[in-house]
Amino acid sequence: MTNSKRILVVGGGIGGTEASIALRKKGFFVKLISDREFLYIYPLSIWLPTKEVKLSDISIPLEKIAKGHNFAYEISKVVSIEPNEVVLENGKIYQKGRDFDYLVIALGQDKLKPKGVEYTYSICASPEETIKYSMALEILLEKGKGKLAFGFGGNPKAKEAVRGGPVFEVLFNIDNILRKKGIRNNFEISFFAPMEKPGARLGEKALKILDYMFKKKRIKKYTGKKIKEFFPDGILLEDGTKIESDLTLFTPAGDGHPIIKQSQNIPKTEAGFIKIDKTCQVEGLEHVYAIGDCVSLEGPEWKAKQGHLAEVMAHNVASNIALKEGLIKGEPQYYIDHLNIMCLMDTGDGGALAYRDDKKAILIPMPIIGHIGKKMWGLYYKLYKTGKIPKIL
Ligand SMILES: Cc1cc2nc3c(=O)[nH]c(=O)nc-3n(C[C@H](O)[C@H](O)[C@H](O)COP(=O)(O)OP(=O)(O)OC[C@H]3O[C@@H](n4cnc5c(N)ncnc54)[C@H](O)[C@@H]3O)c2cc1C
C-alpha cells in the first residue's frame, strides 16, 4: 500500500523509529532524520556499567531498521525546527509542501543542569557518558574499595519528567557485581533524591519493597532534601548534609529539547515540552505531530515518560494521520487512553515487573527470571525493529 503523502520524522530514538515503521505500514513515504547512526536502546543500557553488554549489543544501526521496514533516512543534526521548515547541520533545508506534508517530532529531551553536575555521570544521557561512568567504575573496582552514590532529581515545572527507575536498576546491578566479587563490604553505597518518596508513582507496595531492599543491601538513603551542589567528592544537600562519594551517578530531571526551546512557532510549556492534543497533534498545527519524551503529557499524577508510551504514541500518530487522509475509517486514537507505567526493573540477579494504571499499582517480584526476561525482551526488540519478526509486545 502506498499513498502520495510524505512524512518527515525527526529523531531516530525509540519513538521516531517506531513512528517511521508504523507510518510506512500505512503506506506513507517516510524519511527519518537523526543525529545518531543507531537507535540506542536505553532500557538495555543499564548493563553497560557492569560490562554485561557492549555498546554494539544495545544499539541497532538505523540503516538496518530503515532497510527492514523500507523507509529513507539521513544522518544529520537538526539545528532548527519550525512547523514549515526543518534545517539540518549539513546545510539541507526541508520545507513543507516541497519536501514533506507532515512533520513528526521525536527528538527526546534534555536534562536540567544543577550546580556541579559536571562532577556526576548520568545513565540517561549519551552512550558516551555511560561508557565514561563504566570506566570510572572499573578503576574503583580495581582499587577494591570506595564510596558510590546514586540519585535522581525532579523538575517542578514538569513532574512527569523524572527518570528514577534506571538509577535503581544500575544501583542494584552494581551492588550485585560487588557481592559477586566478594568486595561489597569495602564499598559504601548511598542513594539520594529530593522527593520524600522517590518511586512513589509505582505505588505503596513498590515503595515498601524498595525500602526493604535498601535495608537488606545496606544502602544509605537520603530523601526529601533538596540537592544544593555536587562536588568531586560528594553531594551537598540543602540542610548541610554532605554525602561522601568517589563516583556519583545522577540523573537530573528532564528539560525541554534546546531545538524546541529555540523554535518560534512550536507551542511549548514553560519547561520547553511540546504542547500536543490527545491525538499527539501539536496544538494548532494540523500537519505537525510530536511524540515521546519531547512532549508535555496530560493525565494522572503518576504519569511518566517511557519508551513504551513513545511507541504507543507513534502508532497513534500513524493511525491518526491515515484517518485524516481518509485512508482508514474509525475513531482517532488518544494516547491518554493508553497511559500506564510498565517496566521490568532489573536487579542483576533477578527483577520485578512494575505496572501502574488508574485502577491498580502492582509489583511482581521475579527472582532470576526477571533478569532473563529483560534479556529476552532485548532479543525480541532487535529482531522486531529490523523487520525480521512482527510486533508482539
Ligand atoms: C537508562 C534508561 C532506561 C530506560 N528504561 C526504560 C524501560 O525499561 N521501559 C520504558 O518503557 N522506558 C524506559 N526508558 C525511557 C525511554 O528510553 C524513553 O522514554 C524513550 O527513549 C523516549 O523515546 P524518544 O524517541 O522520545 O526519545 P529518545 O529515545 O531519546 O530519542 C531521541 C532521538 O533523537 C535524536 N536527536 C536528538 N536531538 C537531535 C537533533 N538535534 N537532531 C537530530 N536528532 C536528534 C537522538 O539522537 C535520539 O536518537 C529508559 C530510559 C533510560 C535513559
Side-chain angles (χ1 to χ4, degrees):
M1 180 180 50
T2 296
N3 65 69
S4 58
K5 295 293 173 186
R6 297 151 305 165
I7 323 266
L8 189 66
V9 180
V10 290
I14 291 184
T17 53
E18 194 67 11
S20 302
I21 294 169
L23 285 157
R24 196 58 210 114
K25 284 211 160 69
K26 296 272 185 264
F28 295 104
F29 288 108
V30 176
K31 181 150 191 186
L32 172 69
I33 312 259
S34 198
D35 60 354
R36 232 178 243 153
E37 301 255 354
F38 54 87
L39 162 63
Y40 182 51
I41 314 170
Y42 277 113
L44 305 181
S45 69
I46 50 151
W47 294 315
L48 272 179
T50 48
K51 300 228 167 12
E52 207 169 326
V53 294
K54 301 186 292 300
L55 180 57
S56 57
D57 300 327
I58 57 165
S59 342
I60 314 175
L62 289 188
E63 188 188 3
K64 283 194 179 172
I65 304 177
K67 221 183 233 172
H69 295 275
N70 194 22
F71 60 81
Y73 77 103
E74 177 172 354
I75 304 297
S76 185
K77 191 173 178 169
V78 174
V79 290
S80 99
I81 196 160
E82 294 298 344
N84 295 334
E85 189 179 89
V86 174
V87 182
L88 306 189
E89 196 173 52
N90 66 13
K92 270 199 202 162
I93 299 178
Y94 284 82
Q95 278 177 351
K96 179 175 185 293
R98 188 187 72 185
D99 307 303
F100 64 88
D101 300 296
Y102 288 93
L103 175 62
V104 178
I105 307 173
L107 288 171
Q109 61 180 353
D110 201 4
K111 299 269 164 293
L112 291 178
K113 293 172 186 64
K115 203 167 176 200
V117 75
E118 63 276 17
Y119 300 121
T120 71
Y121 299 85
S122 167
I123 178 80
C124 301
S126 63
E128 292 77 17
E129 185 165 337
T130 302
I131 289 168
K132 276 190 198 154
Y133 176 76
S134 312
M135 285 156 64
L137 179 68
E138 194 177 356
I139 293 170
L140 264 190
L141 292 188
E142 271 165 21
K143 262 193 194 166
K145 61 180 181 152
K147 290 177 179 151
L148 298 168
F150 300 81
F152 55 85
N155 183 345
K157 292 181 189 160
K159 290 212 166 112
E160 77 273 22
V162 175
R163 188 146 285 151
V167 175
F168 291 126
E169 289 187 287
V170 177
L171 188 166
F172 290 131
N173 269 271
I174 291 177
D175 173 86
N176 184 45
I177 283 285
L178 294 175
R179 284 170 202 276
K180 271 192 184 161
K181 288 183 183 289
I183 53 175
R184 175 63 181 90
N185 286 341
N186 305 342
F187 281 82
E188 203 174 289
I189 301 187
S190 306
F191 168 77
F192 61 97
M195 28 331 245
E196 287 290 342
K197 293 180 173 180
R201 67 182 68 210
L202 291 178
E204 281 301 319
K205 189 173 172 203
L207 274 183
K208 278 193 190 132
I209 292 181
L210 265 178
D211 257 353
Y212 167 77
M213 285 178 73
F214 275 22
K215 279 191 192 116
K216 191 174 149 209
K217 293 177 184 286
R218 290 185 296 102
I219 293 157
K220 283 190 191 166
K221 199 172 91 170
Y222 302 84
T223 57
K225 288 171 193 167
K226 280 197 183 136
I227 300 157
K228 195 164 177 206
E229 190 174 346
F230 293 96
F231 292 94
D233 62 348
I235 305 108
L236 182 64
L237 304 181
E238 73 171 353
D239 69 346
T241 308
K242 175 92 183 276
I243 306 169
E244 288 183 15
S245 169
D246 301 316
L247 183 59
T248 304
L249 186 89
F250 174 69
T251 290
D255 192 17
H257 194 288
I259 297 294
I260 301 302
K261 285 188 173 176
Q262 282 161 28
S263 170
Q264 301 289 313
N265 298 305
I266 302 281
K268 51 198 153 305
T269 59
E270 199 191 340
F273 293 107
I274 303 175
K275 289 186 180 173
I276 56 168
D277 67 15
K278 286 185 283 190
T279 69
C280 295
Q281 186 201 297
V282 177
E283 275 186 9
L285 298 169
E286 278 286 322
H287 69 288
V288 187
Y289 286 77
I291 59 171
D293 285 1
C294 65
V295 306
S296 169
L297 294 181
E298 293 295 320
E301 186 64 13
W302 50 260
K303 63 187 178 287
K305 290 186 176 176
Q306 280 206 293
H308 155 65
L309 178 64
E311 295 201 337
V312 166
M313 291 174 133
H315 286 272
N316 285 2
V317 164
S319 293
N320 292 338
I321 298 180
L323 195 63
K324 216 177 238 178
E325 289 297 320
L327 300 171
I328 55 170
K329 289 196 173 72
E331 297 297 318
Q333 299 291 311
Y334 298 153
Y335 78 85
I336 281 189
D337 296 342
H338 303 274
L339 268 185
N340 59 42
I341 299 177
M342 194 165 53
C343 144
L344 189 50
M345 217 194 267
D346 185 74
T347 52
D349 53 355
L353 181 70
Y355 181 84
R356 170 92 199 240
D357 64 18
D358 260 340
K359 294 185 192 80
K360 53 186 172 303
I362 50 176
L363 190 97
I364 307 168
M366 298 172 93
I368 304 167
I369 199 157
H371 187 64
I372 298 167
K374 193 148 183 154
K375 287 261 152 104
M376 299 304 287
W377 175 84
L379 280 176
Y380 151 76
Y381 194 70
K382 284 196 242 174
L383 289 171
Y384 159 65
K385 281 277 183 179
T386 49
K388 296 196 173 86
I389 57 166
K391 190 170 177 69
I392 46 173
L393 293 172

